Amino acid sequence: ILNGDAITDYGNGAFATQYAADTVATIDAADRLIKIEPKFFVTTTADTTEFEFTMSARGTFQINWGDGTYDVIKRTDTTEETYSHTYNAPGVYTIGMGGYATGYSTDQKAAISFHKQGYNSANQLVTITNPTVAGISGSLGAVFPTINDGGASVIQPLFIRTFAGCASMAGGIPENLFVGVYGAPAYRMFEGVFSGCSKLSGSIPENLFSGISGTMAFLFYETFNGCGNLSGSIPAGLFAGQNGIPRERMFCRTFYGCSKLSGSIPADLFAGLQGAPGNYLFWGTFQGCKNLTGSIPENLFAGIRGEPTAYLFLNTFYGCSGLTGSIPPNLFAGISGAPSGSMFGSTFRGCSGLTGSIPEKLFAGIHGAPANGMFAYTFAGCAGLTGNISADLFVGISGAPHVQMFQNTFNGCSGLTGSIPAGLFAGISGAPASNMFAATFQDCSNLSGSIPGELFAGISGAPAKNMFSATFAGCSGLTGSIPGTLFAGISGAPADNMYSSVFFYAEGLSGTIPDKLFGNLNGAPAEDMFSLAFHSCWNLEGCIPDGLFGGIDADLATIIANGMFTNTKVTTKYCSVSDQ
């Protein structure tokens, strides 16, 4: 055997086959006598009867199964293979792995993985819990290191979801887990490596990724996703080596669901990022981290400069109820350009500890036509925010409505005060889109004054589903009469839920309902089109204006069903005697 290749010519004699068999047996015996020092260890749960893992690395490896047996694995290719071992009796076993990889797959396969995969009914890859991994120690990087080919380039191992779904894996993350891995990162390199490891505990080691320098798409996508028992602060230098242009999903859901992480968000956590953002860059990065405290650092995203991308800040701080202080006015100062889908969707949703006013120029760099869900739920549940809504908050937005563009934007912001600015949506002009203003101000109970008649002046065209559903629901501090021009531009056939709960429990509104409040409607009724529209508007009075329902082809009883005028002083009959 020379460099792994058999060079002996056994010839064609009668004993050639026997000679070859003897040689193979001798090589196998030698492999088993030569012990390779284990560098990485897995401890199993007490009920383990079988253990398996997958590997797609080339090289020679030795597996000590922890019961006095071991296997030598010689791989000459990088296809993904499963290796398993059956034990004589249930028990706790410490499995050691030694050896050295000499090559890795080029089709996005993990060098080694202890999670199980399956397919759901939609034929999409899903992670299935592996119940046998109880803990890990040692260095994966020592067995699956970065391979230097002698030149400028390196070949990187991938740890895509290596431990994903190992829900029984407890203990801490070894500090030296990736020692031996260095250089520029590879695509999806640490994607979901600990995703779903809900029993992992202890702090995240500061130098866990210290050997990696540079940026790459999906690099830390869901890395600690669902690790609800990790504790301590996020290390300031955790991503110190990531210097360069931000890439797609690079920090998407990195700490999602890490509810026990505490302390402040390090101000320089993303300091090495410089340039235009990739799609989904900070989608859900800190989502569910309810024990993070302190203020949001003003320069947290200082290096991110360029046009908004899809889902850029979607759910970034969603559920971070422990964050305090005001929203920094320059937090998104580098973001400039046309809106993109869900760019600020649920960014601060549920951040109930944030205080102060919403900065007037928070979105000053955003200018252009609306995008779907661009400000959906942005401040929803931020009950601690106070002060007035600035008339210029969305001043750069100009163009036709888009679906869900302002859905639930301020929902639950009960601390906001003052009147709704008349020109808040002045740049929006065109035909309605579904859910465009659904629940926009719902439960903003301390907003006061009258609803501006020109608030939706630019909206004209046929109704869309849920377009004004619950827009002012729960705005109990609003007063005065409902402006007759509020929805004047709406014209056409009804749509499902188009005005459902629009003024639900806006109990400070008074006076009579304006004729043609809902525009010029005609055609067949739609499902729940006015359901609970004025429910519990105690001070509304008078009769139903003759033109309120326009030319909707249905009788009054059908139209006002589902509590439209419940708990009001409105008499359920038309004002005109001839129409009663």
Side-chain angles (χ1 to χ4, degrees):
I1 305 297
L2 182 63
N3 293 329
D5 296 321
I7 61 169
T8 303
D9 182 0
Y10 294 103
N12 298 312
F15 301 103
T17 302
Q18 184 62 50
Y19 292 156
D22 288 346
T23 303
V24 170
T26 301
I27 293 170
D28 182 66
D31 283 340
R32 293 180 179 278
L33 286 171
I34 301 171
K35 297 295 192 295
I36 300 175
E37 181 186 357
K39 301 292 180 61
F40 174 71
F41 302 88
V42 174
T43 302
T44 71
T45 55
D47 58 350
T48 300
T49 58
E50 185 179 21
F51 191 85
E52 69 176 32
F53 63 91
T54 60
M55 185 163 55
S56 62
R58 184 172 61 246
T60 300
F61 308 92
Q62 191 175 89
I63 311 299
N64 183 337
W65 293 107
D67 61 352
T69 65
Y70 60 91
D71 286 335
V72 175
I73 299 173
K74 286 191 172 184
R75 294 178 51 93
T76 58
D77 59 47
T78 59
T79 58
E80 187 176 65
E81 297 288 343
T82 299
Y83 301 91
S84 63
H85 183 73
T86 301
Y87 295 95
N88 292 328
V92 175
Y93 299 96
T94 299
I95 300 165
M97 176 174 287
Y100 200 86
T102 58
Y104 301 113
S105 171
T106 59
D107 62 353
Q108 306 306 309
K109 299 291 186 182
I112 186 168
S113 182
F114 297 93
H115 85 279
K116 297 181 179 181
Q117 293 178 336
Y119 291 87
N120 63 17
S121 58
N123 202 34
Q124 297 173 327
L125 189 66
V126 295
T127 296
I128 302 174
T129 298
N130 184 339
T132 57
V133 179
I136 58 175
S137 60
S139 174
L140 267 182
V143 184
F144 302 98
T146 297
I147 300 171
N148 193 321
D149 63 2
S153 62
V154 297
I155 304 171
Q156 293 288 25
L158 298 182
F159 299 104
I160 301 171
R161 305 193 176 272
T162 293
F163 304 106
C166 293
S168 296
M169 189 167 79
I173 299 172
E175 291 188 12
N176 60 337
L177 187 62
F178 300 119
V179 170
V181 181
Y182 62 89
Y187 178 63
R188 301 178 66 191
M189 191 168 184
F190 297 107
E191 176 186 320
V193 60
F194 302 110
S195 181
C197 294
S198 56
K199 290 187 178 180
L200 269 183
S201 59
S203 301
I204 300 171
E206 181 161 8
N207 296 318
L208 189 60
F209 310 114
S210 61
I212 298 299
S213 179
T215 62
M216 182 52 67
F218 286 75
L219 182 55
F220 296 110
Y221 174 50
E222 295 190 342
T223 299
F224 304 104
N225 173 37
C227 294
N229 273 304
L230 286 178
S231 58
S233 301
I234 299 173
L238 186 61
F239 307 123
Q242 278 59 70
N243 301 292
I245 299 172
R247 305 299 183 92
E248 181 182 1
R249 298 188 193 232
M250 188 173 172
F251 293 104
C252 178
R253 294 163 61 98
T254 301
F255 303 104
Y256 178 89
C258 292
S259 57
K260 290 187 178 179
L261 288 179
S262 59
S264 301
I265 299 172
D268 56 352
L269 188 61
F270 309 116
L273 299 185
Q274 298 289 329
N279 292 333
Y280 302 81
L281 180 57
F282 294 110
W283 174 21
T285 302
F286 305 104
Q287 184 173 348
C289 294
K290 62 181 181 180
N291 279 307
L292 290 178
T293 56
S295 300
I296 299 172
E298 183 164 2
N299 295 320
L300 187 61
F301 308 120
I304 312 298
R305 299 189 173 276
E307 292 193 8
T309 53
Y311 306 92
L312 177 56
F313 293 107
L314 175 67
N315 296 351
T316 302
F317 304 104
Y318 182 6
C320 293
S321 55
L323 293 177
T324 56
S326 301
I327 298 172
N330 296 318
L331 187 62
F332 309 120
I335 305 300
S336 178
S340 189
S342 299
M343 58 181 181
F344 291 106
S346 297
T347 302
F348 305 102
R349 185 177 180 180
C351 292
S352 55
L354 292 178
T355 57
S357 300
I358 299 171
E360 178 181 345
K361 297 183 178 181
L362 186 62
F363 309 117
I366 309 299
H367 48 83
N372 60 295
M374 58 182 181
F375 293 109
Y377 292 90
T378 302
F379 305 103
C382 293
L385 292 178
T386 57
N388 299 343
I389 300 171
S390 168
D392 293 332
L393 187 60
F394 308 118
V395 69
I397 308 298
S398 179
H402 214 302
V403 296
Q404 301 177 329
M405 58 181 182
F406 291 107
Q407 180 177 351
N408 289 279
T409 302
F410 304 103
N411 188 342
C413 291
S414 56
L416 293 178
T417 56
S419 301
I420 299 172
L424 186 61
F425 309 118
I428 308 298
S429 179
S434 61
N435 296 77
M436 59 180 181
F437 291 106
T440 300
F441 303 103
Q442 183 172 352
D443 291 331
C444 290
S445 55
N446 278 303
L447 288 178
S448 58
S450 300
I451 300 172
E454 63 270 41
L455 187 61
F456 307 119
I459 309 297
S460 62
K465 290 182 179 180
N466 303 296
M467 59 180 183
F468 291 109
S469 175
T471 302
F472 304 101
C475 292
S476 55
L478 293 177
T479 57
S481 300
I482 300 171
T485 58
L486 189 60
F487 309 120
I490 303 301
S491 178
D496 294 347
N497 296 286
M498 58 182 181
Y499 291 110
S500 63
S501 300
V502 58
F503 302 109
F504 180 79
Y505 262 99
E507 55 190 5
L509 297 176
S510 59
T512 58
I513 298 171
D515 188 46
K516 291 190 177 296
L517 172 64
F518 299 126
N520 185 22
L521 302 173
N522 58 81
E527 183 177 358
D528 291 321
M529 55 187 177
F530 299 112
S531 175
L532 305 175
F534 302 103
H535 191 290
S536 296
C537 290
W538 306 95
N539 294 308
L540 291 180
E541 57 188 2
C543 51
I544 299 174
D546 296 339
L548 185 63
F549 304 121
I552 295 178
D553 187 17
D555 59 37
L556 178 61
T558 300
I559 293 176
I560 66 173
N562 299 325
M564 184 175 182
F565 297 106
T566 301
N567 294 336
T568 69
K569 298 174 184 176
V570 177
T571 57
T572 52
K573 61 183 181 180
Y574 287 115
C575 295
S576 171
V577 173
S578 62
D579 290 335
Q580 289 183 18

